[in-house]
Amino acid sequence: MTDLPTDGQPIEAVPTEYSGTTFRSRLEADWACTLDTQSILWQYEPERITLPSGAHYLPDFWLPEIGTWLEVKGPSTPRKEKAVELGKARACHCDGPCACAWPGGEMVLLGWVAERTHGDINVARSRSGYASWAAAHGPSAYFVLWPWCGLRQWITLRRPWKCRACCRSLESEELFQPHDRVLPFGSGSVWSPVDTAAIRREIAEQIAEAEAVDSEPSRSEAHTESEGAGA
């Protein structure tokens, strides 16, 4: 694991203490803080796992209330083979209805540096912004606030859509991916679904402003051409 200075170039990981735990890197500590702001219980490196290949793997986080592993990856640590292998091994393999402890089996997520702009990751500002993640294996992972038990969690769209804690079915709640920018990273405020409209309006305004700036040269050129024609 490596951390990032302001110019975006990788440097050696900086051990960081947070909430009584010494993490191997600042990025891991920031992810722990992110989980805390969402009241998601976490355990840091609780178990060394022997994968089906025989390789040993120590995932960064286990989220015991929602049956999810989280492996934190900076841009200079792209290798994810062990996380993918764990995801395949712990996914649901039931022939009939799922009988796993968590619907769909245990989930394995990859946690990236913060997403700063619409659809882009700015590695120079990895300690703030919005959380970015991906499923290590299988369908995409969506973030949701479950209305029945109040837990924030990640699920896939593999039916049936059930809470990974209380196992009650999803009805009409919205599901979110990283580009929706709904999960503040680091010590950001707690997200709730009511924030979503404002966030999406902000993104739309940013896009509109960017498009307006891009169109200014063409308007200027058209004005110059009209003056030349008048002359």
Side-chain angles (χ1 to χ4, degrees):
M1 182 63 61
T2 58
D3 285 302
L4 298 168
T6 56
D7 61 2
Q9 295 300 312
I11 59 175
E12 291 302 315
V14 177
T16 302
E17 185 172 345
Y18 167 75
S19 191
T21 299
T22 299
F23 294 89
R24 298 177 189 274
S25 71
R26 287 193 298 252
L27 187 57
E28 290 177 346
D30 288 341
W31 263 102
C33 183
T34 300
L35 296 170
D36 278 345
T37 62
Q38 305 305 315
S39 300
I40 298 174
L41 186 65
W42 54 268
Q43 298 170 357
Y44 181 60
E45 296 186 342
E47 179 183 354
R48 185 176 296 276
I49 298 170
T50 300
L51 298 171
S53 65
H56 297 288
Y57 179 36
L58 185 62
D60 294 323
F61 293 95
W62 168 242
L63 315 181
E65 292 182 318
I66 56 176
T68 299
W69 297 95
L70 172 63
E71 177 68 23
V72 174
K73 291 289 187 183
S76 60
T77 54
R79 294 178 63 85
K80 57 181 181 179
E81 291 85 353
K82 291 183 178 180
V84 172
E85 186 176 354
L86 179 63
K88 290 180 180 179
R90 298 295 177 90
C92 175
H93 299 289
C94 301
D95 293 331
C98 179
C100 299
W102 290 275
E106 295 177 13
M107 179 180 291
V108 180
L109 291 177
L110 297 170
W112 307 110
V113 297
E115 183 167 306
R116 293 291 300 179
T117 58
H118 181 61
D120 293 320
I121 292 177
N122 185 334
V123 297
R125 297 186 178 183
S126 63
R127 306 203 69 196
S128 62
Y130 295 88
S132 182
W133 68 85
H137 167 73
S140 298
Y142 292 79
F143 189 68
V144 62
L145 168 62
W146 220 270
W148 307 112
C149 62
L151 283 179
R152 293 168 173 84
Q153 58 190 285
W154 288 268
I155 66 168
T156 70
L157 295 187
R158 180 179 290 149
R159 292 184 181 275
W161 301 344
K162 289 186 176 181
C163 173
R164 301 182 62 78
C166 69
C167 293
R168 295 191 66 169
S169 297
L170 181 72
E171 295 182 355
S172 59
E173 287 68 36
E174 286 193 90
L175 307 176
F176 303 98
Q177 290 190 299
H179 63 259
D180 292 314
R181 300 203 315 172
V182 297
L183 179 53
F185 187 69
S187 59
S189 59
V190 177
W191 166 81
S192 69
V194 298
D195 300 325
T196 305
I199 292 170
R200 288 181 169 168
R201 183 167 58 250
E202 176 190 350
I203 293 173
E205 290 173 353
Q206 290 177 357
I207 293 174
E209 289 176 1
E211 291 176 345
V213 170
D214 290 342
S215 65
E216 284 180 359
S218 60
R219 289 200 298 265
S220 177
E221 290 172 1
H223 180 68
T224 302
E225 290 177 359
S226 64
E227 288 182 344

